[in-house]
Amino acid sequence: MIKVAIIGASGYTAWETIKILLRHNQAQLTYLTALPEECGPVTEIFPALRGRLDLNIEPVDLNKLSDSADVALCCLPHKVSMDYVPQLLSAGVKVVDFSADYRIHDAELYERVYQVPHTDQANLPRAVFGLPELFRKNIIGADLVANPGCYPTAASLVLAPLLKEKIIAPDDIIINAISGASGAGRKAALPFHFPEMNENLFAYAVGSHRHMPEINQILADFTGTPADVLFQPHVVSIDRGITETIYCRPLMNIDQQKLSDLYHHYYGDEPFVRILNTPPKLKDIANTNFVDIFATVTGGKVVVFTTIDNLVKGAAGQAVQNMNIISELPETEGLLS
Amino acid sequence: MIKVAIIGASGYTAWETIKILLRHNQAQLTYLTALPEECGPVTEIFPALRGRLDLNIEPVDLNKLSDSADVALCCLPHKVSMDYVPQLLSAGVKVVDFSADYRIHDAELYERVYQVPHTDQANLPRAVFGLPELFRKNIIGADLVANPGCYPTAASLVLAPLLKEKIIAPDDIIINAISGASGAGRKAALPFHFPEMNENLFAYAVGSHRHMPEINQILADFTGTPADVLFQPHVVSIDRGITETIYCRPLMNIDQQKLSDLYHHYYGDEPFVRILNTPPKLKDIANTNFVDIFATVTGGKVVVFTTIDNLVKGAAGQAVQNMNIISELPETEGLLS
Amino acid sequence: MIKVAIIGASGYTAWETIKILLRHNQAQLTYLTALPEECGPVTEIFPALRGRLDLNIEPVDLNKLSDSADVALCCLPHKVSMDYVPQLLSAGVKVVDFSADYRIHDAELYERVYQVPHTDQANLPRAVFGLPELFRKNIIGADLVANPGCYPTAASLVLAPLLKEKIIAPDDIIINAISGASGAGRKAALPFHFPEMNENLFAYAVGSHRHMPEINQILADFTGTPADVLFQPHVVSIDRGITETIYCRPLMNIDQQKLSDLYHHYYGDEPFVRILNTPPKLKDIANTNFVDIFATVTGGKVVVFTTIDNLVKGAAGQAVQNMNIISELPETEGLLS
Amino acid sequence: MIKVAIIGASGYTAWETIKILLRHNQAQLTYLTALPEECGPVTEIFPALRGRLDLNIEPVDLNKLSDSADVALCCLPHKVSMDYVPQLLSAGVKVVDFSADYRIHDAELYERVYQVPHTDQANLPRAVFGLPELFRKNIIGADLVANPGCYPTAASLVLAPLLKEKIIAPDDIIINAISGASGAGRKAALPFHFPEMNENLFAYAVGSHRHMPEINQILADFTGTPADVLFQPHVVSIDRGITETIYCRPLMNIDQQKLSDLYHHYYGDEPFVRILNTPPKLKDIANTNFVDIFATVTGGKVVVFTTIDNLVKGAAGQAVQNMNIISELPETEGLLS
């Protein structure tokens, strides 16, 4: 039984992490921290936890962290996280960081994309990228895991085998993505006000979404050659879930059966990847850590349909999967039920 | 063709009013005003109006109002409205006011309920209560109409005939009301943030909703005897529409047929009241000015089901209905299509 | 570790039961049955189960049942269930039955309400009513449990203490209930077709819902005196969850604090009842086995707000709770995470 | 004032047409027909019409049609329509046909795509394709208009100028489309049952949607050279509206400004096309006849975002637009309010 702290326990990814840990038989939540104004009983922030979790959210205290936790799941936002992670590490806990701060290897690229100085470059080389289906070997034994972004998780799992096997052109890839509104976080704002967002769907971040360089880096790391994707996200009036429809130009003769074989070859033993033979439905992965994939060839393109729950495989579930790996627990613990 | 101004043109009731006026063949929108920070092309506030309305929202100017409008539809919030209405009247326009500021005859009661001093008591006696189905005679010829609240509109139309005919006890009336989330207005706040509000339903304002005294006053005005209702609102993850299920103790032998006859007697000629013989569905009144009513007797109670669109018959539609009356236009113009 | 069969494994309550059992550490799903046309891999009926459950749904075979299960959770619909339950019992398994067939003690009353002959009256006395918070003592040791209806669960837990302590009049109780659309089951029909049901809300079963006599029976059983409630359900465009707002006439001087004390007295030790001091929100109980209760006094009435998830505490969760009790497992196992 | 009949008045497109015609000042609904089992007061099929339209739906009678209507809007489904249209024409009315039966010029292609013999090839040459923004000149004076499909309307308006000006490659076009669930029609079926469809999104008709050849034909007709699009539709838990994100390979140096100029050049005078400079939001075109378009260049592709209401510009609104044209009425009548 490992002991787990959540740093930044007031947002949707923390909430989802808590729910997963309540089902986890070999991990125990021991410590929740947040900004002073968000402290108090966790049930005041998340009333749905009444009767399920009796913990206070407290201001972070490194001594207490050190005493009470083996692993810290750091749910702080981008830019804030890198102020805390070095302290968490120095307190002697392993860290799975949900933010983007340790995902991009190249500090300069990070700074260009996120428009802030990277203030913890010392720990960048220490961070491993936490996409187990592609980089499991690196994750084992790590003490700092950069948990992937939601969109990149789905896109990269689809594209990595196709690029590795040189089935598709690396510079002609279109990722049309649609996310539920929880992807925008828990801060109230007019575009996400219920009467505005309900029964609505729109594209955003045209040509500029921060997940684009992350996807390119994952694919380059995995395949050894650079990739350059066109990634276009949309948001829709659904609570949770991401659908990505990915269009690629094939470099060889390929058909649906061979694509199915390819994915079975790469992911057939993966507990959280499901290879389908019809397009996946968003609701079938809601509240799960699964990635559903259906690939086919049509109109001269390789077209792949994939779905994940942005809060689970796209955040909290994958973080627990990483936590399991670095804590030498069964990788699926807490995540299949 | 009358000329119409909207004062406070940045919220949901103004938006709905604009849409109705675009369908109105005898009224023309000539002037839109709002706070300085909300000014500019109306299509910046409401992009859906591009190609339909080419007007700027401007800071209010009484001379311009005087020149450009016959009627002002004042969509300002409670407490703000009474600062503007006297000026609008002095500019020589007729006013339909959407706020609560002129609904309660008794300034002391208003001040107790709304917790502010009433700063325009001089105009209170001038204001008529704009529920045409009950008070049409008063409205004709008026130059200041207090447009009713959304919940009171539905409840009062149901209860007035029952109380007038002494069919039910005036002190044992339960109004269970459920509103779509647009009823909360256009200001972003956590409880109405999409991921919080979606797939949700909850009660609010227990024992204290400001519409309770308004309902009591309407019923007393119409029947001549005081009423005392228990009004309990809820909000649900739907854009628009109010469902009220009203439970009353009968004082006489009554059945569904007699209730149907009663409502036909009172409202048979009303263009916006529909007497049904099954429970109304919310979606059937969405985007319309109708009030649907189904009354029956069960479990020893008179039970009445009613639905209105909170933004139409509960606000903008009723305001246009009142505008039509005071402008001597056909009452249904713009409201049946 | 007990072995569990699900009889009638193709609807929403079976689906929910499967999900709960996947989290249950002391029960294992061993056998799924359904009508022949619904047989095959469970993942064909519920694609969301791919990767989580590798079982076939098979036509029921009593020998196989006998060999493979200790308990049968019978998710068959009303009227069908009583054809199977005697066989299940004779196969030597304990049964928790989700249907209404064993809920009503009085076969004549059942026949009047459900409009069919009761074909298994022999087992009626053997059946205990599975509302643990009120009848736990009866349930322990039982081998046939009638799992309560969704609406009655919430209403009865609210009303039982009020009636037992003679705080309210037993013949002046109004239950205004609103359910998510999954309450209507999995059979496609026009009123529940997405474009019809979405953004909609309506009352149904006026004066005639089958849960009314069930509620009255529970209350009479618990308090020893008859009750007669007015129960009015509505359905809303939400997946899951029931909100009941219950209005009662007090027989004594009572206030919010005393009501809170009362519920704490009755349910303070109950793991699935949460006593709140503000109205509960539907989303806070979604996917949980909790009953949230907030009681107050307003407008001369005791008003109680309660929420449950119709598929969990209203069906599958409560069934597992009952299964735990009759199997001598910890009552909360599988239900708090 | 023209007189209008609706043939097949029981589905969503008919319902939408009725609502538009209620706002139309120069057209009057005179005759509604449907299959015998759907006949009776129109308010039984569409209760929302109570108080707004007092007509019966009747079995079609050609003599009555001849006497009572100038134009027939034929809302019958594919394959049924071509049985009726010749009769409607012979009754002396002009016809706007909503089905696909007269959209495809080439009967063989139609038969391949729709898998039935075309039984009215005689009238195929008489039919004009009713996309006014591209083919207005043909429509004027026609007596049989094939109203376009919902998806092709949006896609073709986006692509026609790009292809006409040879800005993009005609054989490397990806149309990622998402429709609200009303696009599936009014027949209840499990995938569209509320608890299945709600909070859901999925792709369908992979590689085979019938709108693909329709789009190709429109583009070939307009530009004179063949096009070959990859069209991939999805359905989402929203009532109405289509979002298409279209990815094209540019054949020349192009930027956002030039694209904006291009669309203004082609559509600047079109009353129903709005050229934006940010991605359109679905809700901004709901219930309107507008097509919103935003085009940009990113990732080496021309990317165009477009939205229409599938029931209005994608069906009923465009049909009324066509009706206005062939009836020599103002083209926007009934469609801008």
Side-chain angles (χ1 to χ4, degrees):
Chain A
M1 182 75 72
I2 61 166
K3 292 172 293 173
V4 184
I6 295 178
I7 312 301
S10 62
Y12 290 139
T13 56
W15 157 237
E16 202 66 29
T17 305
I18 292 170
K19 283 195 292 179
I20 292 169
L21 291 175
L22 288 175
R23 274 179 230 148
H24 198 294
N25 288 313
Q26 302 186 44
Q28 188 187 2
L29 257 181
T30 53
Y31 190 38
L32 301 175
T33 82
L35 293 177
E37 62 269 28
E38 299 166 329
C39 290
V42 65
T43 53
E44 285 188 7
I45 302 285
F46 303 119
L49 287 177
R50 285 176 302 225
R52 287 197 279 176
L53 183 63
D54 186 17
L55 274 180
N56 284 311
I57 302 180
E58 303 169 32
V60 66
D61 172 317
L62 293 177
N63 288 327
K64 177 151 186 195
L65 176 68
S66 201
D67 291 347
S68 60
D70 304 306
V71 182
L73 302 180
C74 185
C75 299
L76 296 170
H78 311 323
K79 302 170 189 173
V80 178
S81 203
M82 59 188 163
D83 289 343
Y84 283 85
V85 165
Q87 305 176 55
L88 306 177
L89 289 168
S90 72
V93 298
K94 295 177 178 177
V95 176
V96 179
D97 181 48
F98 286 57
S99 85
D101 291 352
Y102 299 89
R103 290 182 199 153
I104 307 289
H105 313 320
D106 178 350
E108 270 182 57
L109 176 58
Y110 174 90
E111 296 182 342
R112 210 158 55 235
V113 174
Y114 288 89
Q115 295 282 311
V116 285
H118 197 297
T119 57
D120 185 31
Q121 302 192 24
N123 279 311
L124 270 185
R126 187 176 184 177
V128 300
F129 193 84
L131 191 48
E133 290 78 6
L134 299 184
F135 306 111
R136 183 174 288 111
K137 273 193 247 170
N138 303 346
I139 302 168
I140 296 169
D143 59 5
L144 173 56
V145 180
N147 208 49
C150 52
Y151 290 123
T153 292
S156 304
L157 292 175
V158 162
L159 291 168
L162 294 172
L163 287 168
K164 184 80 173 180
E165 304 295 333
K166 302 192 188 306
I167 290 166
I168 58 167
D171 58 353
D172 193 0
I173 295 169
I174 292 164
I175 303 166
N176 192 92
I178 312 160
S179 176
S182 59
R186 208 184 182 196
K187 198 164 166 352
L190 187 59
F192 302 100
H193 186 48
F194 184 85
E196 305 282 321
M197 185 68 234
N198 189 39
E199 298 281 299
N200 209 349
L201 192 167
F202 49 91
Y204 67 101
V206 178
S208 68
H209 197 283
R210 291 159 168 181
H211 283 168
M212 198 138 47
E214 186 179 331
I215 298 169
N216 288 335
Q217 173 188 285
I218 298 169
L219 296 174
D221 282 359
F222 187 76
T223 67
T225 46
D228 186 12
V229 302
L230 193 175
F231 168 69
Q232 180 53 57
H234 305 67
V235 63
V236 69
S237 49
I238 287 179
D239 266 11
R240 48 168 66 215
I242 286 174
T243 295
E244 295 182 3
T245 303
I246 301 177
Y247 303 89
C248 313
R249 181 157 54 86
L251 295 176
M252 60 172 65
N253 212 348
I254 188 86
D255 61 19
Q256 183 173 319
Q257 183 56 51
K258 286 183 194 157
L259 290 168
S260 177
D261 292 346
L262 172 80
Y263 285 112
H264 276 103
H265 174 69
Y266 272 78
Y267 301 132
D269 295 333
E270 287 296 338
F272 298 119
V273 181
R274 305 191 293 198
I275 319 300
L276 314 185
N277 47 27
T278 55
K281 294 189 171 189
L282 194 67
K283 206 165 190 169
D284 285 340
I285 52 79
N287 297 297
T288 81
N289 200 50
F290 289 107
V291 182
D292 280 1
I293 295 175
F294 167 62
T296 192
V297 179
T298 182
K301 299 281 184 187
V302 169
V303 182
V304 194
F305 304 86
T306 187
T307 49
I308 64 166
D309 187 314
N310 57 309
L311 293 175
V312 187
K313 184 62 176 171
Q318 186 141 267
V320 171
Q321 189 180 354
N322 282 312
M323 180 196 82
N324 287 340
I325 294 172
I326 63 177
S327 306
E328 298 175 40
L329 300 175
E331 189 172 327
T332 60
E333 178 54 41
L335 294 167
L336 278 179
S337 64
Chain B
M1 183 73 72
I2 61 167
K3 292 173 293 173
V4 183
I6 295 179
I7 310 301
S10 62
Y12 290 139
T13 57
W15 157 237
E16 202 66 29
T17 305
I18 292 170
K19 283 195 292 179
I20 293 169
L21 290 176
L22 289 175
R23 274 180 231 148
H24 198 295
N25 288 312
Q26 303 186 41
Q28 188 187 1
L29 258 180
T30 51
Y31 189 38
L32 301 175
T33 82
L35 292 176
E37 63 270 27
E38 299 166 328
C39 290
V42 66
T43 54
E44 285 188 8
I45 302 285
F46 302 118
L49 288 178
R50 285 176 300 225
R52 287 197 279 176
L53 183 64
D54 185 19
L55 273 181
N56 284 311
I57 302 181
E58 304 169 32
V60 66
D61 173 318
L62 293 177
N63 288 327
K64 176 150 187 197
L65 175 68
S66 200
D67 291 347
S68 60
D70 303 307
V71 183
L73 303 180
C74 184
C75 298
L76 296 170
H78 310 324
K79 303 170 190 172
V80 178
S81 203
M82 60 188 163
D83 288 343
Y84 283 84
V85 165
Q87 304 175 56
L88 305 177
L89 288 169
S90 71
V93 298
K94 295 177 178 179
V95 177
V96 179
D97 181 49
F98 285 57
S99 86
D101 291 352
Y102 299 89
R103 289 182 199 153
I104 307 289
H105 313 321
D106 177 349
E108 272 183 55
L109 177 58
Y110 174 90
E111 295 181 344
R112 210 157 56 236
V113 174
Y114 288 88
Q115 296 283 311
V116 285
H118 198 297
T119 57
D120 185 31
Q121 301 192 23
N123 279 312
L124 271 185
R126 189 175 181 177
V128 300
F129 193 84
L131 193 46
E133 289 79 6
L134 299 184
F135 306 111
R136 183 173 289 111
K137 273 193 245 168
N138 303 347
I139 301 168
I140 296 169
D143 58 6
L144 173 56
V145 180
N147 207 48
C150 52
Y151 290 124
T153 291
S156 304
L157 292 176
V158 162
L159 290 167
L162 294 171
L163 287 168
K164 183 80 172 184
E165 304 295 332
K166 301 189 187 309
I167 291 166
I168 59 167
D171 58 353
D172 194 0
I173 294 169
I174 292 164
I175 303 166
N176 192 93
I178 312 160
S179 176
S182 59
R186 207 184 182 195
K187 197 165 166 351
L190 187 60
F192 302 100
H193 186 49
F194 185 85
E196 305 283 321
M197 185 68 234
N198 189 37
E199 297 282 300
N200 209 350
L201 191 168
F202 50 91
Y204 67 100
V206 178
S208 68
H209 198 284
R210 290 161 167 180
H211 282 168
M212 199 138 45
E214 185 179 329
I215 298 169
N216 289 335
Q217 173 188 287
I218 298 169
L219 296 173
D221 282 359
F222 186 77
T223 67
T225 48
D228 187 12
V229 302
L230 193 173
F231 169 70
Q232 180 54 56
H234 305 67
V235 63
V236 71
S237 50
I238 287 179
D239 267 10
R240 50 167 64 217
I242 286 174
T243 296
E244 296 183 3
T245 303
I246 301 177
Y247 303 90
C248 314
R249 181 158 54 84
L251 295 177
M252 59 170 67
N253 213 345
I254 188 88
D255 61 19
Q256 183 174 317
Q257 184 56 51
K258 284 181 193 157
L259 289 168
S260 177
D261 293 346
L262 173 80
Y263 285 112
H264 276 103
H265 174 69
Y266 273 79
Y267 301 132
D269 295 333
E270 287 295 338
F272 298 118
V273 181
R274 305 191 293 197
I275 318 301
L276 313 184
N277 46 28
T278 55
K281 294 188 169 187
L282 195 66
K283 206 166 190 169
D284 285 340
I285 52 77
N287 297 298
T288 81
N289 200 49
F290 289 107
V291 182
D292 280 1
I293 296 175
F294 167 62
T296 190
V297 179
T298 182
K301 299 282 183 185
V302 169
V303 182
V304 193
F305 303 87
T306 186
T307 49
I308 63 166
D309 186 313
N310 57 306
L311 292 175
V312 187
K313 184 61 178 173
Q318 186 142 266
V320 172
Q321 189 180 354
N322 282 313
M323 179 196 84
N324 286 340
I325 295 173
I326 63 176
S327 307
E328 298 175 41
L329 300 174
E331 190 172 326
T332 60
E333 178 53 41
L335 295 167
L336 279 178
S337 64
Chain C
M1 184 73 72
I2 61 166
K3 292 173 294 174
V4 184
I6 295 178
I7 311 301
S10 61
Y12 290 139
T13 57
W15 158 237
E16 202 66 30
T17 305
I18 291 170
K19 283 195 293 178
I20 293 169
L21 291 175
L22 289 175
R23 274 179 230 148
H24 197 295
N25 288 313
Q26 303 186 43
Q28 188 188 2
L29 257 181
T30 52
Y31 189 39
L32 301 174
T33 81
L35 293 177
E37 62 269 28
E38 299 164 329
C39 290
V42 67
T43 54
E44 286 189 7
I45 302 285
F46 303 119
L49 288 177
R50 286 176 300 226
R52 288 197 279 176
L53 183 64
D54 185 19
L55 274 181
N56 284 311
I57 302 181
E58 304 169 31
V60 65
D61 172 317
L62 292 177
N63 289 327
K64 176 151 186 197
L65 175 68
S66 201
D67 291 346
S68 59
D70 303 306
V71 182
L73 302 180
C74 185
C75 298
L76 296 169
H78 311 324
K79 303 170 190 174
V80 178
S81 203
M82 60 188 164
D83 288 343
Y84 283 84
V85 165
Q87 304 176 54
L88 305 177
L89 288 169
S90 72
V93 298
K94 295 177 180 180
V95 176
V96 179
D97 181 48
F98 286 56
S99 86
D101 291 353
Y102 298 89
R103 291 183 199 152
I104 306 290
H105 313 320
D106 177 350
E108 270 183 55
L109 176 57
Y110 174 91
E111 296 181 340
R112 210 158 54 234
V113 174
Y114 289 89
Q115 296 283 312
V116 284
H118 198 297
T119 57
D120 184 31
Q121 301 192 23
N123 279 312
L124 270 186
R126 188 176 182 177
V128 299
F129 193 85
L131 192 47
E133 290 79 5
L134 299 184
F135 306 111
R136 184 175 288 111
K137 274 194 246 169
N138 303 346
I139 301 167
I140 296 168
D143 58 6
L144 173 55
V145 180
N147 207 48
C150 52
Y151 290 124
T153 291
S156 304
L157 291 175
V158 162
L159 290 167
L162 294 171
L163 287 168
K164 184 79 172 184
E165 304 296 332
K166 301 189 187 309
I167 290 165
I168 58 167
D171 58 352
D172 193 0
I173 295 168
I174 292 164
I175 303 166
N176 192 93
I178 312 161
S179 176
S182 60
R186 207 184 182 195
K187 198 166 166 350
L190 186 60
F192 302 101
H193 187 48
F194 185 85
E196 306 282 321
M197 185 68 234
N198 188 38
E199 297 282 299
N200 208 349
L201 192 168
F202 50 92
Y204 67 101
V206 178
S208 68
H209 197 283
R210 290 157 167 183
H211 283 169
M212 198 137 47
E214 187 179 330
I215 298 169
N216 288 335
Q217 174 188 287
I218 298 169
L219 296 174
D221 282 359
F222 187 77
T223 66
T225 47
D228 187 12
V229 303
L230 193 174
F231 168 69
Q232 181 54 56
H234 305 67
V235 62
V236 70
S237 50
I238 287 178
D239 265 12
R240 48 167 65 216
I242 286 174
T243 295
E244 296 183 3
T245 302
I246 302 177
Y247 304 90
C248 314
R249 181 157 53 85
L251 294 176
M252 59 171 64
N253 213 345
I254 189 87
D255 61 20
Q256 183 173 319
Q257 184 57 51
K258 285 182 194 157
L259 289 168
S260 177
D261 293 346
L262 173 80
Y263 284 113
H264 276 103
H265 174 70
Y266 273 78
Y267 301 132
D269 295 333
E270 287 296 338
F272 298 119
V273 181
R274 306 192 292 199
I275 319 300
L276 313 186
N277 46 27
T278 54
K281 293 188 170 188
L282 194 66
K283 206 165 190 170
D284 284 341
I285 52 79
N287 297 298
T288 82
N289 202 49
F290 289 108
V291 182
D292 280 1
I293 295 175
F294 167 62
T296 191
V297 180
T298 181
K301 300 281 184 186
V302 169
V303 182
V304 195
F305 303 86
T306 187
T307 49
I308 64 167
D309 187 314
N310 57 306
L311 292 175
V312 188
K313 184 62 177 172
Q318 187 142 266
V320 171
Q321 189 180 354
N322 282 313
M323 179 197 83
N324 286 341
I325 295 172
I326 63 176
S327 306
E328 298 175 42
L329 301 174
E331 190 172 326
T332 61
E333 178 54 40
L335 294 168
L336 278 180
S337 64
Chain D
M1 183 73 73
I2 62 166
K3 292 174 293 171
V4 183
I6 295 178
I7 310 302
S10 61
Y12 290 140
T13 56
W15 157 237
E16 203 65 29
T17 305
I18 291 170
K19 283 196 292 180
I20 293 169
L21 290 175
L22 288 175
R23 274 180 231 147
H24 198 295
N25 288 312
Q26 302 185 43
Q28 188 187 3
L29 258 179
T30 52
Y31 189 38
L32 301 174
T33 81
L35 293 177
E37 62 270 29
E38 299 166 328
C39 290
V42 66
T43 54
E44 285 189 7
I45 302 286
F46 302 119
L49 287 178
R50 286 175 301 226
R52 288 198 278 177
L53 183 64
D54 185 19
L55 273 181
N56 284 312
I57 302 181
E58 304 170 32
V60 64
D61 174 316
L62 293 177
N63 288 327
K64 177 150 186 197
L65 175 67
S66 200
D67 291 345
S68 59
D70 303 305
V71 182
L73 302 179
C74 184
C75 298
L76 296 170
H78 310 323
K79 303 169 189 173
V80 178
S81 203
M82 60 188 162
D83 289 343
Y84 284 83
V85 165
Q87 304 175 55
L88 305 177
L89 288 168
S90 71
V93 297
K94 295 177 177 178
V95 176
V96 179
D97 181 49
F98 286 57
S99 86
D101 291 353
Y102 298 90
R103 290 183 200 152
I104 307 290
H105 313 320
D106 177 350
E108 271 183 56
L109 176 57
Y110 175 91
E111 295 181 342
R112 210 157 56 235
V113 175
Y114 288 89
Q115 295 283 310
V116 285
H118 198 298
T119 57
D120 185 31
Q121 301 191 25
N123 279 311
L124 271 185
R126 187 174 182 178
V128 299
F129 193 84
L131 193 47
E133 289 79 7
L134 299 184
F135 305 111
R136 184 174 287 111
K137 272 193 246 168
N138 303 346
I139 302 168
I140 295 169
D143 59 6
L144 173 56
V145 180
N147 207 49
C150 52
Y151 289 124
T153 292
S156 304
L157 291 176
V158 162
L159 291 167
L162 293 171
L163 287 169
K164 183 81 174 182
E165 304 295 331
K166 302 191 188 306
I167 291 166
I168 59 167
D171 58 352
D172 193 0
I173 294 168
I174 293 165
I175 303 165
N176 192 92
I178 312 160
S179 176
S182 60
R186 207 184 182 196
K187 197 165 168 350
L190 187 59
F192 303 101
H193 187 48
F194 185 85
E196 306 283 322
M197 185 68 233
N198 189 37
E199 297 283 299
N200 209 349
L201 192 167
F202 50 91
Y204 67 100
V206 179
S208 69
H209 197 283
R210 290 159 168 183
H211 283 169
M212 198 138 45
E214 186 179 330
I215 298 169
N216 288 336
Q217 173 188 286
I218 298 169
L219 296 174
D221 283 358
F222 186 76
T223 67
T225 47
D228 186 12
V229 302
L230 193 173
F231 168 70
Q232 180 54 57
H234 305 68
V235 63
V236 70
S237 50
I238 287 180
D239 266 10
R240 49 166 66 214
I242 286 173
T243 296
E244 296 183 1
T245 303
I246 301 177
Y247 303 89
C248 314
R249 180 158 54 86
L251 294 177
M252 59 170 67
N253 212 348
I254 188 87
D255 61 18
Q256 182 173 320
Q257 183 56 51
K258 284 182 195 156
L259 290 168
S260 177
D261 293 346
L262 173 79
Y263 285 112
H264 275 102
H265 173 70
Y266 272 78
Y267 301 132
D269 295 333
E270 287 294 338
F272 297 119
V273 181
R274 304 191 295 196
I275 319 300
L276 314 184
N277 45 27
T278 55
K281 295 190 168 187
L282 194 67
K283 207 166 190 169
D284 285 340
I285 52 78
N287 297 297
T288 81
N289 200 50
F290 288 108
V291 182
D292 280 1
I293 295 175
F294 167 62
T296 190
V297 179
T298 182
K301 299 282 183 185
V302 169
V303 182
V304 194
F305 304 87
T306 186
T307 49
I308 63 165
D309 186 315
N310 57 307
L311 293 175
V312 187
K313 184 62 178 173
Q318 186 142 267
V320 171
Q321 189 180 353
N322 282 313
M323 179 195 83
N324 286 341
I325 294 173
I326 63 176
S327 306
E328 298 174 42
L329 301 175
E331 190 172 327
T332 60
E333 177 55 40
L335 294 167
L336 279 179
S337 63

